[in-house]
Amino acid sequence: GWKLPICPWWAGWALLAVAHAYQYPVNDFIPSKMCLSSNQRSNVTNRTLKYSDGTVHPVRIPYQDWTSAQVIGNIAFILVREVMGYSSVLFNTTTLSSGQAVNYVAGCADPDDVNCTVVDLLRPKIHFTLEVWEDGRRRVAVMNEDVRPDLFSVLSYTLYDQWYIWQSIVDDGLRSNPHISLDYYRSYNAHSFHPQGHFDSWRTLLSRLPDSIVARCSSLGGGDRTGDRDILRYIEVTNDTHVECEMDRVWISPACRGPDNATTCVPLVLPYNFDVAMQLAFFLDMP
């Protein structure tokens, strides 16, 4: 994920293991300088959280592995540390799963264990969550009541997730004969239009991507992550059982299946929400 700064000096980070009664993993980050000016900061500094066993701890703020969560984490750090005066650290979760953040805040030793078999309620890795998505909501729903966070809510704003194409491709479609509006989803209906001529083939695109960053379909079949293809749900709502992938990397939608799919498909590269894309491709007849 990108490390987007809130203030210019946030481009560099210092790695720090917090030395208290409990030794936390070395995932903690503390920026080396203040962000706000002196007259904007709290006069009270180094406040801490005091646990029931008498130990004191900094406020532990999640720094999750996608851009918007990191921006929110940075903002929370500035507010908690500089405005409220609390000793604070950013905990780098190094994961794309907000479900793991739920485990961290519940005190679970294993961030992937939905049963939270090993738990220390007095030593959570983080003290609250900031940006929780559907996988986090599902994680809370199956947690045992004795470890489930008392206060929990998903994002409170409406999200419009979109796919993006280069402006040059949109312009190319408008100049073509017949014209086609490639920034409009109905233009990808394979029964009425032929958008594939304006894009590289999926084989060409795949050859240009580093193999190490391309996920395998066989690794996206289950769990409560945003990376799940949710193939059982797809089959249930579409009656389409063709969920296997070419080379274990590329799923071919019904609209472009056949021996010549290398030239009849429009390649779509996604970092998550594969299940949504598969269902949209089916119902909108997108190649």
Side-chain angles (χ1 to χ4, degrees):
W2 293 344
K3 307 294 190 264
L4 288 187
I6 295 298
C7 298
W9 50 263
W10 281 55
W13 297 86
L15 186 62
L16 177 68
V18 179
H20 283 284
Y22 178 80
Q23 185 66 44
Y24 289 107
V26 288
N27 294 67
D28 295 342
F29 291 84
I30 299 179
S32 58
K33 297 180 181 179
M34 291 289 183
C35 180
L36 301 180
S37 61
S38 58
N39 63 335
Q40 295 175 311
R41 297 196 297 266
S42 171
N43 293 325
V44 180
T45 59
N46 295 322
R47 288 174 171 170
T48 56
L49 302 178
K50 188 173 183 179
Y51 286 6
S52 59
D53 61 0
T55 59
V56 294
H57 301 261
V59 178
R60 304 179 58 75
I61 301 168
Y63 187 78
Q64 296 168 284
D65 204 26
W66 63 91
T67 304
S68 59
Q70 292 173 356
V71 170
I72 294 174
N74 289 341
I75 294 173
F77 182 90
I78 294 170
L79 293 175
V80 173
R81 184 193 188 195
E82 302 186 28
V83 178
M84 300 175 68
Y86 279 87
S87 174
S88 308
V89 296
L90 289 167
F91 179 76
N92 192 343
T93 64
T94 64
T95 176
L96 289 174
S97 170
S98 61
Q100 289 190 347
V102 170
N103 274 39
Y104 282 131
V105 80
C108 307
D110 183 351
D112 293 315
D113 180 9
V114 296
N115 297 314
C116 203
T117 307
V118 180
V119 60
D120 186 348
L121 295 176
L122 294 181
R123 298 293 189 275
K125 301 290 193 303
I126 55 178
H127 289 115
F128 50 84
T129 59
L130 287 172
E131 186 169 333
V132 176
W133 298 93
E134 182 65 16
D135 55 330
R137 185 198 65 79
R138 290 196 296 247
R139 181 70 60 88
V140 169
V142 300
M143 269 187 161
N144 295 327
E145 290 186 5
D146 56 341
V147 298
R148 182 183 301 159
D150 293 328
L151 297 175
F152 180 83
S153 64
V154 295
L155 294 177
S156 59
Y157 56 84
T158 302
L159 174 70
Y160 295 97
D161 209 358
Q162 301 181 55
W163 300 338
Y164 301 90
I165 61 176
W166 296 114
Q167 182 62 48
S168 58
I169 297 177
V170 175
D171 295 340
D172 183 60
L174 294 175
R175 288 193 298 263
S176 65
N177 187 15
H179 305 311
I180 183 171
S181 299
L182 294 172
D183 54 351
Y184 181 52
Y185 76 97
R186 290 188 182 276
S187 296
Y188 293 86
N189 185 303
H191 280 309
S192 304
F193 302 98
H194 302 283
Q196 60 271 16
H198 300 277
F199 298 88
D200 290 329
S201 71
W202 66 263
R203 290 186 182 276
T204 299
L205 181 60
L206 189 63
S207 69
R208 294 174 177 172
L209 293 173
D211 187 64
S212 60
I213 71 169
V214 181
R216 289 355 182 216
C217 294
S218 54
S219 68
L220 303 174
D224 61 340
R225 311 284 186 84
T226 53
D228 183 16
R229 291 201 299 150
D230 201 359
I231 56 178
L232 295 180
R233 177 63 174 168
Y234 174 80
I235 294 172
E236 177 186 353
V237 300
T238 65
N239 290 320
D240 176 28
T241 59
H242 189 105
V243 294
E244 296 79 15
C245 294
E246 296 275 351
M247 305 164 60
D248 198 27
R249 293 166 176 80
V250 180
W251 178 73
I252 306 298
S253 69
C256 69
R257 288 177 191 159
D260 197 27
N261 61 41
T263 59
T264 58
C265 294
V266 174
L268 176 65
V269 180
L270 293 174
Y272 47 74
N273 285 353
F274 309 114
D275 54 334
V276 175
M278 291 172 66
Q279 292 189 36
L280 287 174
F282 179 89
F283 288 111
L284 298 177
D285 204 32
M286 303 174 76

